[in-house]
Amino acid sequence: MYIHENNILTAGIPLNEAKSAVIFLHGRGSSAEDIISLSRHLDIKYAAIFAPQAINNSWYPFSFIAPVEQNQPALDSALTVLKTLVDQIVASGIPLDRIFFCGFSQGACLTLEYVTRNAGRYGGVAAFTGGLIGREINMKNYKGDFAKTPVLITTGDPDPHVPVRRVELTETIMKKLNADVTTKIYAGRVHTISPKEIELAKSLIFKNI
């Protein structure tokens, strides 16, 4: 159960013609089709676009702040799907600094976990309502140098799934790895992606693609 396959929806420019790539990660109960439609709202027109599909529409079975062991082997499987996809994109000729990430909720958590475990100079990261994964944060998992990769993390206050304190801790850890992090916390915002967040992501993360 929860062993993910490389089931990836694509859109945008063909990979062999593109100069940039964007990886979208859907939330729990959602789908690749749903999250990839976000590319239109973000005005992403000139990139190869990828949206992996989680088995059973969920990347891992329990809350992202449950003990990591409870979310295995699903979590490691999901991280492997991402690593394989990134490697394929790089092998096609697109460098890390032209690879962008965008996730919502569970997909935002997985996005942040992957890039922070593999810190490098990416094009940019937009994490709508997410934070690093685990009841306790194991700093040994996180290494590398973001080299000022722009990162946007947003959430509501309160949010039913993502505590603000975890968002703030995630920001601190990513900044220690040299990420250029912008965090926006919206009082009373429900568990969704608001138009303000879309506009902020367009201006901070996706303005050059």
Side-chain angles (χ1 to χ4, degrees):
M1 187 178 182
Y2 288 105
I3 302 300
H4 304 288
E5 300 175 353
N6 290 320
N7 181 13
I8 299 171
L9 187 66
T10 60
I13 304 297
L15 182 58
N16 62 355
E17 300 175 12
K19 295 182 179 179
S20 302
V22 186
I23 299 172
F24 286 89
L25 289 171
H26 67 77
R28 187 189 302 272
S30 189
S31 68
E33 288 84 357
D34 286 341
I35 194 71
I36 209 168
S37 67
L38 193 58
S39 64
R40 296 194 299 271
H41 298 283
L42 293 169
D43 293 335
I44 297 171
K45 300 175 182 177
Y46 305 110
I49 298 171
F50 301 88
Q53 174 63 52
I55 193 84
N56 299 326
N57 301 96
S58 179
W59 292 110
Y60 41 84
F62 297 103
S63 166
F64 86 109
I65 52 175
V68 168
E69 295 76 15
Q70 292 184 10
N71 280 316
Q72 298 292 17
L75 176 58
D76 281 351
S77 176
L79 291 168
T80 297
V81 168
L82 268 180
K83 179 67 165 59
T84 299
L85 177 56
V86 169
D87 287 348
Q88 290 173 346
I89 294 170
V90 171
S92 78
I94 296 176
L96 278 183
D97 65 3
R98 297 305 301 167
I99 299 177
F100 298 76
F101 296 83
C102 183
F104 171 63
S105 192
Q106 193 186 59
C109 297
L110 182 60
T111 294
L112 292 168
E113 187 70 19
Y114 174 80
V115 297
T116 310
R117 288 188 182 209
N118 301 275
R121 183 52 168 96
Y122 298 103
V125 179
F128 298 116
T129 313
L132 292 173
I133 295 173
R135 175 174 290 177
E136 304 294 334
I137 294 296
N138 182 358
M139 289 301 299
K140 293 180 181 179
N141 287 335
Y142 309 122
K143 56 188 177 181
D145 185 348
F146 278 112
K148 297 301 180 182
T149 294
V151 178
L152 172 64
I153 309 174
T154 66
T155 194
D157 183 17
D159 183 89
H161 305 291
V162 179
V164 169
R165 64 183 181 276
R166 179 53 60 92
V167 172
E168 293 171 340
L169 177 59
T170 300
E171 176 186 17
T172 297
I173 292 170
M174 296 185 81
K175 282 183 173 179
K176 286 182 179 179
L177 295 177
N178 202 22
D180 183 8
V181 185
T182 299
T183 298
K184 291 292 289 185
I185 299 169
Y186 298 88
R189 194 216 65 188
V190 298
H191 193 72
T192 187
I193 304 173
S194 69
K196 287 183 179 180
E197 290 165 272
I198 294 290
E199 292 304 312
L200 192 57
K202 285 165 63 176
S203 65
L204 293 178
I205 308 299
F206 302 109
K207 60 185 176 182
N208 293 323
I209 59 173

